[in-house]
Amino acid sequence: MAAPSHRRSLRSRRALVVSAAAVAAAVGAGVVVMNANAGTVDLYHQTLAAKDGWASSGTGTTGGTKADAAHTFTVSTRAQLVKALGSASDTTPRIIKVKGTIDANTDDAGKKLTCADYASGTGYSLSAYLKAYDPSSYGTSKLPSGTQEKARAAAQTKQAKNVVFKVPANTSVVGVPGTNAGISGGMLQIQNVDNVVVRNLTFGGTEDCFPQWDPTDGDDGNWNSNYDSVTLRGATHVWADHNTFTDAPHLDSANPKYYGREYQIHDGALDITKSSDLVTVSRNQFTNHDKTMLIGSSDSEPSGKLRVSIHHNIWKGIVQRAPLARVGQVHIYNNYYDVTTLNGYATQYSINSRAKAQVVAENNYWKVPTGGKVAKLLSGDGTGAVKGSGNLVNGMVTDVVAAYNAASSKDLKTTVNWTPTLTSGLETSAKNLPTSLGTTTGASVLK
């Protein structure tokens, strides 16, 4: 394994499915849910509730709720998704309903594309690349350069043109319930835009055909890949809710090793970087993944941004970055972490606070297997802070910060410079989370 480089509660809004025909006159065709507090709500026009985490701050997060009929789409193929997204600079509100699973690795006619198709015409081959940059001859002090590295980059660019979907501002991308809605092999790129909602989708199989070898990464070098399933770069007011993120069907245990290091084809699941801000991540399932959520891509990112709320999510079979937080003010509450090794994914840590990040972690639940060490649930660089309270480990109230600090030479600071106020749905006890979140998180839960 490569060395690490550095809503509301459903019980408060229990949904009762209503046929679309019964309410067509009011909301038009589509899936409708009943909100116990607010009456009938169209799933595709649902907005983030008031005070539901950082994304509710200021103007709040409404996505494409103001979309007209001409900008409301139902898509089931890659080509349809590309057309519905339109230009990344078009701020016209739009709703995109994803029906079924869209395979990003297909051409405009729907033909399946493979890594060989992307490499074709570039001159790249893995065998030639491995020969060119073998550390025993190329050395370990510099990044690859020359013919094969240029060919690798060209092949990667070809794949990126196919699998990267650029999401414009004022957009809701929502999976159609009952259709196994999701995106396989693709990346939603939310970059330098405001007001985006991503809900009820399964993201799997996001794989880079052409990882780059970096002999200077870590003690022994690492293979680094592109493509997060969802990536936020300079984005604001984003709500990611009721999604499932997984490496499946290709798990890391199937990755070969080259130069003695894992040939890593997966990058992040949901990364929040480049001074993104005002983000709420709620009721998702993260499973079977290594580097899962990066908040801040650099220790030198400016302060005042990267404000993120992470609540009511399940993390299971996650190696690290759940999340790794830099610089910002991050609220992590009512999450369930099962750190039992799953399908070869063995936890290194759950939460990492570094580069002066100000993390409040409260009322979370960790399931730790026999022999597991509480001190390894957290990590840091000595500058980050974690203010912890009400956290449970195997049902027992545990000061996870004190446990980490007792075993570490780089203590986490225990006070932060802010107090969370956007906390609608915060549960004051974590004891029921293993049960309640099992049926209320992830894709295919919303009806």
Side-chain angles (χ1 to χ4, degrees), residues 62-150:
T62 60
T65 190
K66 294 182 179 180
D68 58 20
H71 293 89
T72 301
F73 311 89
T74 298
V75 302
S76 56
T77 68
R78 174 191 164 276
Q80 291 171 349
L81 176 59
V82 170
K83 183 177 180 180
L85 287 168
S87 169
S89 62
D90 185 353
T91 61
T92 306
R94 70 194 63 222
I95 293 173
I96 300 174
K97 307 173 185 180
V98 177
K99 185 176 182 181
T101 301
I102 293 174
D103 187 348
N105 288 293
T106 52
D107 65 15
D108 289 344
K111 177 185 175 183
K112 179 67 178 177
L113 297 176
T114 67
C115 295
D117 291 314
Y118 298 128
S120 178
T122 66
Y124 172 85
S125 76
L126 178 58
S127 59
Y129 190 89
L130 292 174
K131 182 178 180 180
Y133 306 112
D134 188 325
S136 64
S137 55
Y138 185 79
T140 60
S141 61
K142 59 182 180 179
L143 283 169
S145 63
T147 301
Q148 270 302 301
E149 173 56 23
K150 290 180 180 178

Side-chain angles (χ1 to χ4, degrees), residues 65-357:
T65 190
K66 294 182 179 180
D68 58 20
H71 293 89
T72 301
F73 311 89
T74 298
V75 302
S76 56
T77 68
R78 174 191 164 276
Q80 291 171 349
L81 176 59
V82 170
K83 183 177 180 180
L85 287 168
S87 169
S89 62
D90 185 353
T91 61
T92 306
R94 70 194 63 222
I95 293 173
I96 300 174
K97 307 173 185 180
V98 177
K99 185 176 182 181
T101 301
I102 293 174
D103 187 348
N105 288 293
T106 52
D107 65 15
D108 289 344
K111 177 185 175 183
K112 179 67 178 177
L113 297 176
T114 67
C115 295
D117 291 314
Y118 298 128
S120 178
T122 66
Y124 172 85
S125 76
L126 178 58
S127 59
Y129 190 89
L130 292 174
K131 182 178 180 180
Y133 306 112
D134 188 325
S136 64
S137 55
Y138 185 79
T140 60
S141 61
K142 59 182 180 179
L143 283 169
S145 63
T147 301
Q148 270 302 301
E149 173 56 23
K150 290 180 180 178
R152 183 206 63 81
Q156 191 177 66
T157 297
K158 285 181 66 175
Q159 184 182 12
K161 289 179 179 179
N162 230 69
V163 304
V164 176
F165 303 106
K166 298 180 180 180
V167 182
N170 306 317
T171 296
S172 293
V173 185
V174 184
V176 176
T179 68
N180 294 318
I183 298 175
S184 175
M187 177 173 83
L188 288 187
Q189 179 176 295
I190 307 170
Q191 181 168 335
N192 298 328
V193 298
D194 180 69
N195 194 30
V196 173
V197 173
V198 180
R199 304 182 75 199
N200 206 38
L201 294 167
T202 294
F203 295 92
T206 307
E207 300 168 4
D208 186 350
C209 288
F210 312 102
Q212 182 188 38
W213 170 244
D214 183 353
T216 70
D217 184 357
D219 295 334
D220 302 303
N222 275 303
W223 291 95
N224 294 315
S225 58
N226 275 346
Y227 318 129
D228 311 319
S229 292
V230 177
T231 188
L232 280 59
R233 303 172 183 175
T236 53
H237 289 110
V238 179
W239 179 29
D241 174 74
H242 278 97
N243 302 294
T244 296
F245 297 85
T246 177
D247 285 351
H250 181 109
L251 304 181
D252 279 354
S253 57
N255 290 340
K257 288 186 176 181
Y258 300 119
Y259 309 149
R261 306 300 292 167
E262 181 184 352
Y263 189 67
Q264 181 57 266
I265 60 175
H266 302 116
D267 196 11
L270 171 57
D271 280 5
I272 303 165
T273 62
K274 305 294 183 182
S275 293
S276 291
D277 197 25
L278 304 177
V279 178
T280 295
V281 180
S282 59
R283 296 195 176 276
N284 302 279
Q285 289 198 15
F286 299 91
T287 185
N288 294 314
H289 196 80
D290 185 353
K291 296 177 286 188
T292 304
M293 182 183 294
L294 182 63
I295 301 176
S297 53
S298 168
D299 288 358
S300 61
E301 288 201 36
S303 61
K305 304 289 186 180
L306 297 171
R307 292 173 292 180
V308 181
S309 297
I310 302 167
H311 72 82
H312 292 93
N313 302 282
I314 288 180
W315 312 77
K316 188 173 184 178
I318 298 302
V319 177
Q320 58 181 315
R321 301 185 182 180
L324 185 157
R326 291 183 168 103
V327 179
Q329 295 173 333
V330 181
H331 194 196
I332 304 170
Y333 62 96
N334 295 154
N335 296 279
Y336 174 49
Y337 295 89
D338 184 346
V339 298
T340 308
T341 298
L342 177 67
N343 296 321
Y345 293 90
T347 300
Q348 293 179 5
Y349 65 83
S350 297
I351 300 170
N352 183 315
S353 180
R354 59 190 301 108
K356 299 182 180 180

